[in-house]
Amino acid sequence: MNRQLTDRRAQLTLAALAVALLGMLVPARHLVAQTQTVTVRDAWVREAAAGRAVTGAFMVIVNSGDTPRALVRGTASVGDTLELHEMKREDGMMRMSPVQRIEIPAKGEAALRPGGYHLMLFGLKAPLTATDTVRFTLTLDDGSSVQVAAPVRSMQGRMP
Ligand SMILES: [Cu+2]
C-alpha cells in the first residue's frame, strides 16, 4: 500500500515535470505574439531617390486593448535617426514638427498618413526603391515594442 502510494506520487511528479518541460519548449516569440494588443497594418515607406537622405513612413497602429497606449520612439533598419512627426496647417502653410508621442486610443487606432502624423527617417545612406523593405522597432509608453516590416512605395507629388 505504502509502496503503491509512493509510486503514484513519483508518477505525478514526472507528469508535472513533463508538462513544465513542454511549456519551456513553446517559443517565447509565439507567446509574445499572442499577448500583443498593439499591432500595425498598412505600413509603407516613401521611396527616396539617390542623394535624398530623408523620407517618411506611414502606417495604422491598432490598439485592441482596454488601455490607451502611445508610440514614444522607434528605430529603423535604414537611416540613423527616426523622429515622430506631425504635419499641420499653420497660417495657410503645411508645417511639420517633431512630437513626443503619438496617442493610440484603447480599442482604437492611430493613423500615420501623409499630411498628418508620420515617422521621419533621417540619414539615409542609400536610395530606397519600391523593391526594398524597411524594418522598424516601435517602442510604446509601457516599454513594449512592435516589429514592423514596411515595403517601400513611390508617392509622387506629395510631401513629406
Ligand atoms: Cu516629417
Side-chain angles (χ1 to χ4, degrees):
M1 183 68 184
N2 265 347
R3 176 62 191 272
Q4 275 178 345
L5 263 178
T6 310
D7 284 353
R8 182 80 187 123
R9 275 196 198 116
Q11 278 171 7
L12 285 173
T13 307
L14 275 176
L17 194 64
V19 167
L21 283 172
L22 275 175
M24 288 161 69
L25 290 175
V26 175
R29 208 168 37 172
H30 184 63
L31 294 175
V32 168
Q34 281 187 329
T35 56
Q36 191 113 49
T37 55
V38 174
T39 52
V40 168
R41 62 175 166 83
D42 302 337
W44 63 283
V45 177
R46 188 194 184 197
E47 71 179 348
R52 187 181 158 94
V54 183
T55 194
F58 312 93
M59 62 194 67
V60 178
I61 309 174
V62 180
N63 181 2
S64 62
D66 297 321
T67 311
R69 288 266 76 90
L71 173 62
V72 293
R73 64 181 177 276
T75 57
S77 57
V78 296
D80 48 32
T81 313
L82 185 150
E83 289 183 2
L84 315 183
H85 275 198
E86 181 181 23
M87 185 169 251
K88 276 198 294 202
R89 184 174 290 278
E90 276 174 21
D91 303 324
M93 288 180 63
M94 294 301 283
R95 292 178 200 278
M96 69 181 179
S97 49
V99 292
Q100 292 297 309
R101 49 197 281 142
I102 297 174
E103 305 294 337
I104 316 156
K107 303 280 185 201
E109 56 186 42
L112 280 59
R113 296 212 170 97
Y117 287 114
H118 57 278
L119 306 181
M120 206 81 194
L121 288 129
F122 295 91
L124 299 179
K125 306 282 192 294
L128 285 176
T129 62
T131 54
D132 293 330
T133 297
V134 179
R135 290 173 196 290
F136 295 89
T137 299
L138 305 179
T139 303
L140 305 176
D141 58 336
D142 64 349
S144 67
S145 58
V146 184
Q147 307 293 323
V148 181
V152 174
R153 284 191 211 155
S154 65
M155 190 184 79
Q156 290 165 350
R158 289 191 67 178
M159 289 293 286

